Amino acid sequence: MPKLKGHLLSRLLGKEFDGDEEQYSQEELGNLQLVGNKLYSHKVLRVNYTTYDVRRDQDSMNPRTHSDVMVCSRETESGGHPYWYACVLGIFHADVFLRGRNVRNRSVQRMEFLWVRWFGIDADHRWGRTVARLPKVGFVEESDPDAFGFLDPSLVLRGCHLIPAFADGRTSQLLACPHSVGRPADETDDWQAYYVGM
């Protein structure tokens, strides 16, 4: 809950998403109130985008079947990968408001958010047209505090197609619990890596 409140508070305060969650004190987090302490779950996320031939199209994602999304990376200035990838675990909204002495807007606002499990870029893998290879990603280990997080749906560019790197095999090291909401219900381990379909 503190991580969710931190995410929502950053958005309410107009802070730009850079991949790192802002740290807030307990008092600051306490100023953010969820009306009725309720979260509302949704089954489908629809994202509008422009196709390569300048037409409108729409992707539909849901946590059970088509759940991988891409967002713009904030690492492009340093020569990093242009996109970040995430697996959507849940689609939610909440009615929230801020209280406190210095709050200007006390009205209730509906805020939509995604609960995601992040993929990390395989830095040792060469990819691109010159080497005729697709980019390679893998789930961030659960020991990393940013392996799971929250995302503003408006930042999602579109859904993406990730292809398991079958040669790399499967692993249970990324997520220790065999039955977790972090992976499909019929699986007890993860693929070591995935290729990003272009």
Side-chain angles (χ1 to χ4, degrees):
M1 193 52 112
K3 200 168 192 177
L4 171 60
K5 282 190 165 188
H7 168 77
L8 296 175
L9 188 55
S10 290
R11 287 174 53 192
L12 284 172
L13 297 175
K15 300 199 175 172
E16 191 173 325
F17 175 74
D18 63 0
D20 295 325
E21 291 294 330
E22 190 81 23
Q23 298 299 316
Y24 295 100
S25 69
Q26 289 296 333
E27 181 182 349
E28 290 171 314
L29 293 177
N31 287 338
L32 180 79
Q33 298 295 305
L34 278 68
V35 176
N37 282 331
K38 292 182 181 177
L39 300 178
Y40 299 90
S41 177
H42 301 274
K43 293 186 184 229
V44 179
L45 166 70
R46 289 186 176 83
V47 176
N48 297 320
Y49 67 94
T50 304
T51 64
Y52 71 95
D53 57 352
V54 196
R55 294 177 186 247
R56 281 185 265 180
D57 207 345
Q58 186 178 74
D59 275 343
S60 294
M61 279 79 62
N62 70 65
R64 295 187 64 211
T65 57
H66 182 75
S67 61
D68 301 320
V69 297
M70 58 193 291
V71 299
C72 282
S73 164
R74 302 299 187 246
E75 300 170 343
T76 51
E77 297 86 28
S78 61
H81 193 77
Y83 305 107
W84 287 333
Y85 303 93
C87 176
V88 175
L89 303 176
I91 304 162
F92 301 95
H93 90 267
D95 297 321
V96 302
F97 66 95
L98 281 175
R99 64 178 186 181
R101 287 183 290 236
N102 299 327
V103 176
R104 291 190 178 129
N105 183 357
R106 296 176 189 272
S107 63
V108 173
Q109 298 178 51
R110 176 184 165 136
M111 296 191 75
E112 298 169 346
F113 57 93
L114 306 175
W115 180 35
V116 298
R117 182 178 180 196
W118 288 104
F119 290 98
I121 304 296
D122 183 346
D124 297 330
H125 177 75
R126 290 187 56 218
W127 64 277
R129 292 176 189 217
T130 57
V131 292
R133 288 183 172 171
L134 296 171
K136 196 177 198 181
V137 298
F139 281 117
V140 175
E141 288 187 37
E142 71 175 329
S143 59
D144 186 319
D146 295 324
F148 294 88
F150 296 96
L151 184 62
D152 181 351
S154 69
L155 297 177
V156 173
L157 295 174
R158 63 178 299 180
C160 62
H161 179 64
L162 300 182
I163 307 154
F166 296 109
D168 292 345
R170 298 180 80 99
T171 181
S172 58
Q173 301 299 316
L174 301 173
L175 191 59
C177 181
H179 299 287
S180 168
V181 73
R183 65 170 63 100
D186 57 341
E187 296 181 11
T188 57
D189 54 8
D190 297 308
W191 287 105
Q192 185 78 30
Y194 297 84
Y195 292 107
V196 180
M198 302 292 256

